[in-house]
Amino acid sequence: MGNYYSYMRISTNTERQNFARQKKSLERYAAQHDIEYLIEFTEEKSAKNFEDRKEFCKLDKLLQSGDTVVFKDLSRFTREAENGYKKYMEWLGRGINIVFLDNPTVSSDYIRQLMNTAESQDLVTKTALEGTIKLLLIVELDRAEQQRRYISKAIKDGIAASDKRSGRKKGALDKMTDELQHDLELYMHDRNISQKSVMEKHDISRNTLKKYVKILAVRKPELF
C-alpha cells in the first residue's frame, strides 16, 4: 500500500483563509478513512500551469505507483483543461490514486472503474465508453477553467461600465451595499480579480476593503 499525500493551493496571500477550509476537509477525510498524510503540501500560487508550482513539482517527483494524493476539489489540482487532462492521465498511467473530495466523479477510483468496464466490452462499446470517460474529464477540467474566466470577466465588465463614485472618503466604512457584497464574493472566489479593481470601482482603500472582507466572513462563512 502506498503513501498518502495532501495538497492545498491558494492563488494569493489574500486567500489565505481558504487554506483553513481546505485543511479542515482534508483532515476530516483522513480521520474518516484512518489514514495519515506522509507530507502535507501547501502552495500559494496560481493554477495557470504546473511548472511554476514548486510544491506541486516536488510532490510530482515523490509520487510512486500506489501513492494517493488528496485534494479538496479539482481546482486545487488545476484550472487548465488541456494540460490538466494530460497530467491527470499521466498520473493515472503511473498508478497514482487521485482523490477530489468535492468532485468524486473525477477521482481516479471512479474513472478506473469506468475504464475497467470499457475494457470488458466489445470494440464498439469500448470505444464509445473510452470517449465518454475522456469527455467527462475534459468537461470537468474545462468547467474549472471557464469558471475562472467568466467570473473574472464579469467583475471587470462591471468595473468598466461603472462611472459612479460614491463620494465616500477613502478609509470610511459605510453600510455594505448589495453591489459591493456581490463584487467581494466574486473577488473571494477568483484570485485573478485584483484588489485594485474592486477598490477603484467602489472608491475604497485597501484597509477598508479588508474591513468589508471581515464583515463578509461573518455574513457568509461558507466563502472562507
Side-chain angles (χ1 to χ4, degrees), residues 41-189:
F41 287 89
T42 60
E43 188 135 59
E44 189 177 305
K45 196 71 177 177
S46 167
K48 290 181 179 179
N49 58 62
F50 293 107
E51 292 76 15
D52 290 343
R53 292 154 61 184
K54 293 181 180 179
E55 293 303 306
F56 185 91
C57 290
K58 288 180 184 178
L59 169 63
D60 198 8
K61 290 179 181 179
L62 280 175
L63 292 173
Q64 298 181 17
S65 180
D67 288 344
T68 300
V69 186
V70 185
F71 303 83
K72 183 180 186 298
D73 58 67
L74 186 62
S75 66
R76 301 305 107 189
F77 173 63
T78 185
R79 283 188 182 274
E80 275 195 300
E82 184 174 353
N83 289 331
Y85 176 76
K86 290 177 181 177
K87 178 59 67 175
Y88 185 100
M89 296 306 294
E90 176 197 321
W91 278 16
L92 217 61
R94 289 165 56 187
I96 297 164
N97 303 308
I98 316 165
V99 177
F100 300 113
L101 301 181
D102 294 351
N103 309 95
T105 57
V106 286
S107 290
S108 60
D109 278 355
Y110 183 72
I111 295 299
R112 283 196 177 101
Q113 286 178 18
L114 294 179
M115 288 180 166
N116 289 336
T117 300
E119 284 296 324
S120 64
Q121 305 301 314
D122 60 74
L123 180 60
V124 174
T125 305
K126 175 184 176 182
T127 302
L129 280 174
E130 287 175 344
T132 301
I133 295 166
K134 182 175 182 179
L135 183 62
L136 170 63
L137 286 170
I138 290 177
V139 165
E140 289 301 317
L141 287 163
D142 185 67
R143 191 196 308 276
E145 181 175 347
Q146 294 303 323
Q147 185 181 49
R148 171 182 60 81
R149 291 180 178 178
Y150 175 80
I151 293 173
S152 180
K153 184 177 185 300
I155 193 170
K156 287 176 181 176
D157 287 350
I159 291 168
S162 177
D163 295 322
K164 296 179 63 177
R165 288 289 183 262
S166 67
R168 182 194 301 110
K169 181 180 179 182
K170 285 188 182 296
L173 193 65
D174 295 338
K175 181 180 179 181
M176 187 188 299
T177 64
D178 291 341
E179 183 181 10
L180 175 56
Q181 178 169 324
H182 173 71
D183 287 350
L184 285 175
E185 289 178 13
L186 294 177
Y187 164 70
M188 295 308 300
H189 187 82

